[in-house]
């Protein structure tokens, strides 16, 4: 009540259920204890399924939205809305340190203000659309490609006298735009493969 996480009516209803024997004191403690995590407290994330990579990370409570029953938690530089059941109060611990320099989840490069994220067409996702060879193409090899990640078509031309010289024609980048620190959807393959 004192933290504003439950109304007087909710508290009265809970104590009435206890008095009638519908719930035990242990049941009420289990139900109400997660709502008692104070602001600025350290919590450990647990039981997340869609963002399981965050399980075990420690963050700091920055808010509580009573209507939604969720805590605002800052973890690794990101603010998340989490259910009390996904948090373990760790008053004796400190949150995991915030990243000092964010890395773009798309290009895997440091996110420097004013810089542009550029991702080349992934070679593992290119489809061969035909080749030409000989004098008609400047004495080299011209390969036509289609990128499965972005759907763009482009051409590479390899010099016949120096195979290390490859020129690029068409859209050079699979993705060119703003850096991102958010986890990309699995359907978006316009990124550097970390494997």
């Amino acid at each position: 009540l004192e933290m504003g996480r439950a109304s007087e009516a909710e508290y009265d209803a809970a104590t009435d259920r206890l008095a009638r024997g519908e719930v035990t004191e242990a049941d009420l403690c289990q139900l109400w204890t997660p709502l008692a995590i104070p602001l600025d407290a350290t919590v450990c994330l647990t039981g997340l399924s869609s963002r399981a990579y965050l399980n075990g990370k420690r963050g700091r409570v920055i808010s509580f939205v009573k209507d939604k029953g969720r805590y605002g938690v800052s973890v690794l530089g990101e603010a998340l809305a989490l259910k009390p059941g996904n948090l373990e109060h760790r008053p004796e611990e400190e949150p995991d340190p915030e990243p000092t320099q964010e890395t773009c989840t798309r290009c895997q490069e440091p996110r420097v203000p004013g810089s542009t994220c550029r991702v080349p067409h992934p070679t593992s996702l290119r489809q061969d659309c035909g080749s030409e060879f000989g004098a008609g193409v400047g004495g080299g090899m011209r390969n036509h490609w289609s990128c499965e990640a972005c759907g763009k078509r482009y051409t590479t031309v390899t010099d016949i006298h120096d195979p290390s010289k490859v020129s690029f024609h068409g859209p050079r980048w699979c993705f060119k735009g703003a850096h991102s620190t958010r986890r990309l959807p699995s359907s978006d393959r316009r990124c550097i493969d970390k494997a």
Side-chain angles (χ1 to χ4, degrees):
L1 285 174
E2 134 186 351
M3 297 176 84
R5 309 253 168 97
S7 67
E8 295 250 356
E10 290 169 322
Y11 179 77
D12 290 343
T15 55
D16 288 346
R17 289 181 66 206
L18 179 64
R20 289 191 302 266
E22 295 172 5
V23 294
T24 66
E25 193 171 323
D27 292 334
L28 285 181
C29 284
Q30 185 176 5
L31 179 68
W32 292 76
T33 299
L35 298 178
I37 302 172
L39 293 180
D40 207 36
T42 299
V43 291
C44 182
L45 282 56
T46 183
L48 298 174
S49 54
S50 65
R51 301 184 78 175
Y53 64 95
L54 290 174
N55 287 327
K57 300 293 183 195
R58 294 181 314 256
R60 185 171 303 285
V61 174
I62 56 175
S63 65
F64 181 78
V65 180
K66 184 180 173 203
D67 296 343
K68 296 187 178 190
R70 293 185 182 242
Y71 282 96
V73 178
S74 175
V75 61
L76 300 176
E78 189 174 353
L80 307 172
L82 299 171
K83 297 176 188 174
N86 294 118
L87 304 174
E88 292 176 1
H89 188 198
R90 301 277 179 92
E92 69 286 351
E93 296 181 20
E94 289 294 317
D96 289 332
E98 299 290 332
T100 54
Q101 185 173 41
E102 296 175 326
T103 299
C104 177
T105 53
R106 192 177 292 281
C107 70
Q108 303 301 309
E109 295 291 326
R111 189 174 163 222
V112 177
S115 67
T116 302
C117 173
R118 291 183 178 91
V119 176
H121 299 286
T123 55
S124 62
L125 296 176
R126 67 181 181 190
Q127 293 181 322
D128 190 344
C129 296
S131 302
E132 303 168 73
F133 182 78
V137 290
M141 173 85 129
R142 181 175 290 168
N143 294 301
H144 305 283
W145 307 100
S146 176
C147 178
E148 287 181 24
C150 66
K152 297 174 188 168
R153 300 183 82 128
Y154 60 97
T155 302
T156 56
V157 178
T158 306
D159 186 314
I160 194 167
H161 303 292
D162 185 356
S164 67
K165 291 184 181 177
V166 178
S167 60
F168 203 93
H169 304 275
R172 174 96 176 131
W173 306 107
C174 181
F175 177 87
K176 181 178 178 183
H179 289 289
S180 175
T181 56
R182 294 191 172 268
R183 185 171 176 224
L184 300 174
S186 58
S187 59
D188 189 348
R189 300 187 297 172
R190 300 170 305 155
C191 58
I192 300 292
D193 186 9
K194 292 184 249 181

